[in-house]
Amino acid sequence: SGNGNGDKDRVRDGKQLEEPKASQAAEEEDEGSVPTPHKVLIFSQYHSNMDMLEIFCKFRGYRYLRLDGATSRVLRELDMRDFNSEDEDYFIYLIGTRAGGLGI
């Protein structure tokens, strides 16, 4: 502010702050940390939205599971076990919010 250097030179408590460089961030991530894949839960109230999301998942090649009112109790338990398993690579779980009383 007022020093004419723009936003790149920031000063706090008399010390100049620098933006971290992308290479520094990559090096920090590599130090002893193993990235783990994220999983996504998508809740939808409408079956038509879940149908479109299912088509999208197929189009993109995402492995997904779907839980709605038509899902049997046995299949629901197996799907939840598979989704939470580290041996499986399911990425998305489509869940219908109107499938009341499913006990998840």
Side-chain angles (χ1 to χ4, degrees):
S1 302
N3 62 6
N5 292 334
D7 287 88
K8 290 189 177 189
D9 294 330
R10 297 182 184 156
V11 177
R12 180 182 292 160
D13 298 330
K15 297 181 182 177
Q16 183 173 349
L17 302 175
E18 295 180 9
E19 294 292 326
K21 296 178 182 162
S23 61
Q24 288 176 335
E27 289 173 10
E28 290 173 7
E29 282 184 15
D30 290 339
E31 293 177 12
S33 68
V34 176
T36 56
H38 294 280
K39 295 191 176 200
V40 178
L41 298 174
I42 299 177
F43 295 89
S44 178
Q45 185 174 1
Y46 303 105
H47 282 258
S48 59
N49 284 352
M50 291 178 66
D51 294 341
M52 287 190 298
L53 288 167
E54 194 169 8
I55 292 168
F56 177 76
C57 289
K58 287 177 184 176
F59 174 75
R60 296 291 300 200
Y62 297 145
R63 290 197 67 207
Y64 70 94
L65 296 167
R66 178 174 174 156
L67 183 141
D68 60 17
T71 307
S72 71
R73 182 182 61 82
V74 173
L75 185 58
R76 177 184 71 236
E77 290 176 11
L78 292 172
D79 284 352
M80 285 192 291
R81 184 194 66 199
D82 289 346
F83 186 76
N84 289 319
S85 172
E86 294 196 18
D87 297 333
E88 295 288 343
D89 64 345
Y90 287 104
F91 177 53
I92 296 175
Y93 205 156
L94 303 172
I95 302 172
T97 59
R98 299 188 67 166
L102 291 180
I104 58 170

